[in-house]
């Protein structure tokens, strides 16, 4: 017997319609060089319609890929809706990718138009000769600016001017592609993840769950996580769906500007990778901000050090860890205390919050022993590869037949190694490729990094495995001291700090002090770069 409910397609058109009909007076604010740019959902909606009309006039058809190369701004937010709502596919290009990778993905996706922020033109114009499918560049900025070699090109405001302020959205299949994003390609070529309207819709709904990010109309959302990576974690979809005020940082992401923006716009909810919040925490020892409106910060993309969670809490700021991947839209698990944790000590609560948490409703997981393929018990000790499935988890990469094994048996193999406690709360031990393999046992580089970043004189720390004749690999700690402690912290200080906290054989064989941890295009620690710098490092015997 069939259910007798309406077959109502879950599309981003619904989110758009809600924003303009129910919340027309809500503000959208973008940080600029001068005064912030601000307008309402009502104005935004008219411009989204104009943009859709302009795209249609430029020949964009349903299913065509239209790319963006830009910062988090109101124009990017317009593109986030106009492109998918008219049936085309928003392809967000990562502005920090290497040129060869960019050329590869623009060609594989066969992008037809690229929208580019004016200050990023110099970077893109070098690559333009390698983009045969691109017929038009639309430049977003306050003219006059140099369009360089991007031809043909048109100014964004000119492109949408004089277009009608309404558009009859086509009826879309909820499984039609809405957007695509390539993984940052830490190994091999980047891989395209294609999101559907349905997956984006359901994923945005999950942001409203009480035990999830709990977003709602009263929120003022600051997505610092880039709109060019993994849907800005879905928070810009959620903003329109729920009618929340949204604040965009533009290209200004230094801790001082972020702090001032959060204060002046009365931000209630912000999202970004740990690096951003490590910078802000360090600033809080010198500067005062009024964060009284702030409810919580969602942080993920890499492990959130416990010291960061504790440090921000001392300033009254609650940071919530989330875990996910480009392939999971990305929100897959979130770390919230359960009711029975509330009786536990502060220290224990911080420890629980430093785990990656519980899968959100809609996502299922299992942890599988890498050798035997068996699911491991939830004993917080047995580890294996974390695998997930759900309505916003990719089932294949775009045009890729080589990675089928990654999606075998209906599960996504994440490449993350995890343990699970008896409550089903996940803790990531490491990425498979980052575990330090010492004498047949594994050492978690992530756990060492977390401990190191708890040292009062340490700003950031990264641990990599160095080849070792006897043990196969041994850990090397690369440590960035806080600016005020440069040259005032020694290898022995670091090792003395770790000694009571880890098993003896986990102790790094050496400590090197560096100026900064190299970061990937999305702000994560780039171990690849450190490995190439220290690959031949000779450890003290
Ligand atoms: P890429 O794979 O190109 O780095 P993603 O943003 O898709 O880009 O990265 C997903 C990976 O980031 C996860 O597989 C995991 O290793 C890591 N990650 C994300 N969130 C967390 C977290 N909260 N703790 C630890 N690692 C995380």
């Amino acid at each position: 017997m069939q259910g007798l409910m309406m077959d109502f397609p879950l599309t981003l058109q619904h989110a758009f319609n809600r924003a303009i009909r129910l919340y027309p007076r809500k503000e959208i604010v973008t940080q600029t060089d001068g005064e912030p740019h601000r307008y309402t959902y009502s104005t935004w909606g008219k411009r989204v319609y104009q943009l859709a009309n302009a795209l249609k006039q430029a020949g964009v058809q349903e299913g065509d890929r239209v790319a963006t190369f830009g910062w988090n701004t109101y124009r990017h937010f317009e593109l986030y809706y106009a492109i998918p709502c008219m049936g085309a596919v928003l392809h967000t290009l990562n502005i920090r990718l290497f040129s060869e990778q960019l050329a590869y993905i623009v060609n594989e996706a066969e992008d037809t138009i690229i929208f580019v922020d004016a200050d990023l033109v110099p970077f893109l114009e070098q690559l333009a000769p390698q983009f045969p499918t691109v017929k038009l560049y639309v430049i977003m900025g306050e003219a006059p600016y140099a369009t360089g070699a991007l031809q043909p090109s048109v100014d964004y405001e000119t492109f949408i001017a004089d277009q009608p302020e309404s558009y009859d959205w086509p009826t879309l299949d909820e499984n039609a592609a809405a957007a695509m994003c390539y993984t940052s390609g830490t190994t091999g070529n980047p891989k395209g993840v294609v999101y559907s309207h349905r997956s984006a819709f359901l994923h945005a709904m999950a942001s409203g769950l009480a035990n999830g990010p709990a977003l709602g109309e009263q929120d003022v959302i600051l997505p610092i996580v880039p709109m060019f990576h993994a849907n800005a974690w879905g928070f810009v979809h959620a903003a329109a769906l729920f009618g929340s005020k949204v604040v965009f940082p533009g290209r200004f992401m230094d801790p001082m500007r972020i702090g001032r923006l959060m204060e002046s716009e009365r931000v209630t909810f912000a999202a970004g990778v740990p690096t951003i919040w490590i910078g802000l925490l360090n600033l809080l020892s010198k500067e005062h901000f009024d964060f009284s409106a702030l409810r919580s910060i969602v942080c993920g993309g890499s492990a959130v050090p416990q010291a960061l969670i504790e440090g921000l809490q001392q300033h009254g700021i609650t940071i919530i860890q989330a875990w996910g991947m480009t392939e999971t839209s990305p929100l897959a698990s979130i770390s919230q205390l359960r009711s029975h944790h509330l009786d536990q000590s502060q220290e224990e609560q911080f420890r629980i919050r430093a785990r990656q948490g519980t899968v959100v409703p809609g996502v299922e997981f299992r942890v599988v022993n890498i050798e035997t393929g068996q699911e491991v018990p939830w004993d917080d000790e047995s580890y294996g590869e974390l695998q997930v499935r759900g309505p916003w988890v990719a089932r294949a990469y775009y045009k890729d037949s080589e990675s089928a094994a990654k999606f075998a048996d209906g599960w996504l193999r994440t490449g993350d190694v995890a343990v699970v406690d008896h409550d089903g709360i996940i803790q990531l031990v490491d990425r498979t490729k980052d575990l330090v393999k010492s004498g047949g046992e594994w050492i978690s580089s992530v756990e060492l990094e977390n401990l190191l970043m708890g040292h009062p004189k340490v700003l950031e720390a990264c641990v990599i495995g160095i080849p070792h004749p006897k043990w196969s690999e041994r850990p090397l700690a690369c440590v960035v001291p806080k600016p005020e402690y440069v040259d005032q912290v020694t290898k022995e200080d670091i090792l003395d700090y770790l000694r009571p906290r880890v098993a003896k054989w986990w102790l790094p064989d050496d400590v090197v002090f560096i100026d900064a941890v190299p970061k990937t295009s999305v702000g994560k620690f780039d171990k690849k770069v450190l490995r190439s710098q220290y690959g031949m490092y000779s450890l003290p015997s």
Side-chain angles (χ1 to χ4, degrees):
M1 183 173 159
Q2 292 277 301
L4 294 174
M5 291 292 120
M6 291 182 186
D7 189 10
F8 182 81
L10 307 179
T11 70
L12 291 175
Q13 294 169 347
H14 176 76
F16 173 81
N17 292 339
R18 280 181 63 87
I20 60 166
R21 293 193 65 207
L22 299 173
Y23 310 103
R25 293 188 300 279
K26 266 304 173 70
E27 263 190 322
I28 297 162
V29 180
T30 304
Q31 185 168 231
T32 70
D33 279 332
E35 283 297 299
H37 173 280
R38 44 183 90 233
Y39 64 14
T40 59
Y41 273 114
S42 166
T43 310
W44 170 79
K46 289 177 189 152
R47 288 168 57 89
V48 168
Y49 281 137
Q50 287 184 302
L51 176 56
N53 281 301
L55 288 167
K56 190 172 181 189
Q57 196 172 320
V60 173
Q61 302 199 347
E62 284 187 30
D64 284 354
R65 269 76 65 203
V66 177
T68 59
F69 195 73
W71 304 104
N72 290 13
T73 67
Y74 64 98
R75 291 193 180 108
H76 212 162
F77 192 36
E78 291 164 6
L79 289 154
Y80 250 70
Y81 278 87
I83 297 168
C85 288
M86 71 175 295
V89 183
L90 166 77
H91 177 197
T92 51
L93 296 170
N94 182 334
I95 62 174
R96 300 209 184 89
L97 273 194
F98 294 114
S99 5
E100 312 84 69
Q101 294 185 327
L102 262 179
Y104 175 86
I105 68 180
V106 168
N107 286 312
E108 190 182 78
E110 298 172 274
D111 294 329
T112 53
I113 300 182
I114 302 182
F115 286 76
V116 49
D117 271 330
D119 61 310
L120 299 173
V121 165
F123 184 70
L124 208 58
E125 66 181 343
Q126 306 162 24
L127 294 173
Q130 298 173 52
F131 296 161
T133 59
V134 177
K135 297 188 208 71
L136 180 67
Y137 295 89
V138 184
I139 304 191
M140 304 184 283
E142 309 322 312
Y145 45 70
T147 59
L150 294 183
Q151 290 304 334
S153 71
V154 57
D155 171 65
Y156 185 94
E157 296 303 324
T158 314
F159 186 62
I160 68 169
D162 306 327
Q163 293 291 344
E165 292 179 353
S166 67
Y167 192 102
D168 204 4
W169 296 134
T171 302
L172 295 177
D173 178 342
E174 64 176 13
N175 288 309
M180 65 192 296
C181 176
Y182 278 75
T183 62
S184 36
T186 31
T187 51
N189 274 326
K191 310 243 182 284
V193 177
V194 183
Y195 307 104
S196 63
H197 276 267
R198 176 185 152 87
S199 71
F201 183 98
L202 290 171
H203 179 256
M205 290 282 277
S207 311
L209 297 173
N211 289 141
L215 287 177
E217 183 273 340
Q218 295 90 341
D219 275 309
V220 178
I221 304 176
L222 172 68
I224 303 173
V225 43
M227 290 169 88
F228 61 70
H229 187 62
N231 303 309
W233 297 351
F235 297 129
V236 290
H237 291 142
L241 187 66
F242 301 140
S244 323
K245 171 175 165 180
V246 58
V247 180
F248 293 113
R251 62 174 197 277
F252 311 100
M253 276 165 292
D254 59 286
M256 184 63 103
R257 297 277 312 242
I258 290 293
R260 293 272 168 259
L261 188 65
M262 286 166 64
E263 178 177 67
S264 61
E265 297 301 329
R266 310 275 309 147
V267 166
T268 65
F269 177 91
V273 291
T275 315
I276 299 277
W277 308 116
I278 291 172
L280 185 71
L281 176 60
N282 205 35
L283 188 64
L284 290 179
S285 57
K286 302 168 219 118
E287 288 288 328
H288 174 75
F289 299 94
D290 173 5
F291 290 153
S292 52
L294 189 65
R295 180 168 67 72
S296 53
I297 286 174
V298 161
C299 184
S302 51
V304 183
Q306 188 172 327
L308 177 62
I309 303 176
E310 291 189 28
L312 283 176
Q313 201 66 63
Q314 277 163 15
H315 293 274
I317 300 174
T318 302
I319 197 160
I320 302 173
Q321 168 152 218
W323 167 81
M325 314 169 69
T326 306
E327 292 86 337
T328 64
S329 291
L331 182 63
S333 80
I334 191 155
S335 194
Q336 303 267 30
L337 293 176
R338 303 236 185 130
S339 35
H340 67 274
H341 294 141
L342 301 177
D343 307 331
Q344 299 186 358
S345 67
Q346 270 275 321
E347 170 59 25
E348 184 58 14
Q349 292 187 359
F350 281 128
R351 216 182 51 73
I352 293 158
R353 288 172 55 193
R355 301 174 71 104
Q356 279 66 24
T358 307
V359 282
V360 294
V363 175
E364 295 187 350
F365 84 104
R366 64 182 190 185
V367 173
V368 171
N369 181 300
I370 298 163
E371 273 98 43
T372 65
Q374 298 297 310
E375 202 175 334
V376 304
W378 291 4
D379 57 9
D380 217 11
E381 276 179 12
S382 314
Y383 55 81
E385 185 181 39
L386 178 59
Q387 304 186 352
V388 291
R389 65 182 180 194
W392 56 84
V393 177
R395 65 178 156 81
Y397 290 123
Y398 184 60
K399 288 189 185 168
D400 178 275
S401 51
E402 288 158 27
S403 319
K406 191 148 179 165
F407 304 94
D409 327 321
W411 292 89
L412 166 70
R413 299 179 175 195
T414 66
D416 285 326
V417 179
V419 294
V420 190
D421 76 4
H422 57 267
D423 288 322
I425 299 178
I426 298 164
Q427 168 136 32
L428 287 201
V429 177
D430 222 328
R431 282 188 133 176
T432 340
K433 57 183 188 299
D434 294 338
L435 280 168
V436 182
K437 291 147 203 110
S438 172
E441 298 285 346
W442 287 2
I443 298 173
S444 160
S445 65
V446 170
E447 197 168 330
L448 284 175
E449 287 161 5
N450 272 337
L451 289 168
L452 287 165
M453 287 191 270
H455 188 292
K457 296 183 179 171
V458 171
L459 184 69
E460 288 182 338
C462 192
V463 172
I464 52 171
I466 298 291
H468 189 283
K470 179 164 176 203
W471 302 112
S472 152
E473 269 184 356
R474 289 294 303 155
L476 171 73
C478 306
V479 170
V480 184
K482 288 186 178 160
E484 59 275 32
Y485 296 118
V486 172
D487 298 330
Q488 289 184 42
V489 51
T490 64
K491 170 180 166 181
E492 274 316 306
D493 289 340
I494 299 288
L495 295 180
D496 286 347
Y497 178 81
L498 285 182
R499 249 178 219 111
R501 295 174 165 86
V502 296
K504 199 160 162 238
W505 61 278
W506 275 45
L507 216 56
D509 284 33
D510 208 354
V511 178
V512 291
F513 292 96
I514 56 177
D515 296 338
V517 176
K519 307 280 177 353
T520 69
S521 59
V522 289
K524 304 183 193 197
F525 290 176
D526 198 340
K527 299 201 173 180
K528 204 165 61 291
V529 173
L530 282 177
R531 275 192 206 107
S532 67
Q533 278 167 5
Y534 291 101
M536 303 306 284
Y537 190 79
S538 73
L539 294 166
S541 45

